[in-house]
Amino acid sequence: DEATRASAADALGAFVLGGELDEVDAALAMRAEEALLSVALRVDEPARVRASALESLAYSGEVGIRQLIEDAYYAPEEIMRISALNAMGRSADVRWRGLARAELQNPAAAMRAAAAQACGQLEAKAAVGEITELAADDSLDVRLAAILALGRIGGKTAREVLEAVRLGDDPDEVEAADYALEELMFFASLEAE
């Protein structure tokens, strides 16, 4: 079942990340990476499953993963391009900031949302203005992604935007703004130490 395989690929991401953080046995993390890599490279595999595998592999520091992300970014299927943006954010590789920022203007709402999320994960401070604009996007998914990204990036402008959103009428946006402000304060306290 395609959905089950995609979920399994998602779940293996925790093992890859755990391996990178030395919280999981290296052999177990390597087995997870090998399984994900075999799925990500299999062209007859459904895009949804390959996308999940790529996003889980993005936690890996292995050299070839960057090329897989780039290949997915230029793939014809939108699901793979969205997955590439998600993988860029998970990779923590700041070299992706420019591409993620460029996609904030994409006509497709799903791409804008993924780009905002990636910019947040990559702490792309230069994108705060564009992400602030997305906090007023027509799409709720884009607005929520922008709100959460501002919380991760932090700074005075982000805090002001989040506090304004927190006073709004939309309960989803208010909840996201509360969470984002908590995250903003948490990361600010870590930087102050």
Side-chain angles (χ1 to χ4, degrees):
D1 177 65
E2 179 180 327
T4 302
R5 291 199 323 271
S7 293
D10 284 336
L12 287 174
F15 293 95
V16 176
L17 179 59
E20 289 296 311
L21 299 174
D22 292 327
E23 295 174 352
V24 171
D25 179 62
L28 184 59
M30 187 180 299
R31 283 182 54 208
E33 281 186 44
E34 288 170 358
L36 290 165
L37 192 57
S38 71
V39 170
L41 294 173
R42 199 173 308 137
V43 293
D44 62 332
E45 197 69 59
R48 179 178 176 191
V49 178
R50 287 185 291 126
S52 294
L54 175 67
E55 291 176 26
S56 289
L57 279 169
Y59 291 121
S60 172
E62 293 297 320
V63 177
I65 304 305
R66 182 172 170 79
Q67 186 62 52
L68 287 176
I69 295 171
E70 188 171 330
D71 291 346
Y73 178 73
Y74 292 107
E77 307 100 336
E78 184 180 61
I79 190 171
M80 292 306 296
R81 294 191 306 274
I82 291 168
S83 180
L85 286 168
N86 292 333
M88 288 175 191
R90 287 182 177 188
S91 75
D93 184 344
V94 296
R95 293 177 289 183
W96 293 120
R97 284 179 178 164
L99 281 178
R101 187 176 178 192
E103 294 299 334
L104 293 171
Q105 307 302 321
N106 194 296
M111 289 289 285
R112 290 194 307 276
Q117 182 178 346
C119 285
Q121 290 172 315
L122 296 170
E123 298 177 16
K125 294 188 185 310
V128 166
E130 295 150 291
I131 295 171
T132 297
E133 290 176 18
L134 291 181
D137 195 90
D138 292 336
S139 166
L140 176 62
D141 290 340
V142 174
R143 291 194 307 270
L144 294 177
I147 291 166
L148 295 174
L150 289 170
R152 186 64 180 94
I153 294 170
K156 182 182 177 194
T157 302
R159 171 179 246 138
E160 290 170 356
V161 171
L162 292 172
E163 287 173 351
V165 170
R166 192 176 186 195
L167 300 174
D169 296 329
D170 186 302
D172 292 330
E173 291 179 16
V174 170
E175 182 180 346
D178 283 339
Y179 178 82
L181 281 165
E182 286 178 22
E183 192 168 57
L184 185 147
M185 289 186 276
F186 173 77
F187 284 110
S189 70
L190 288 180
E191 289 175 8
E193 291 178 359

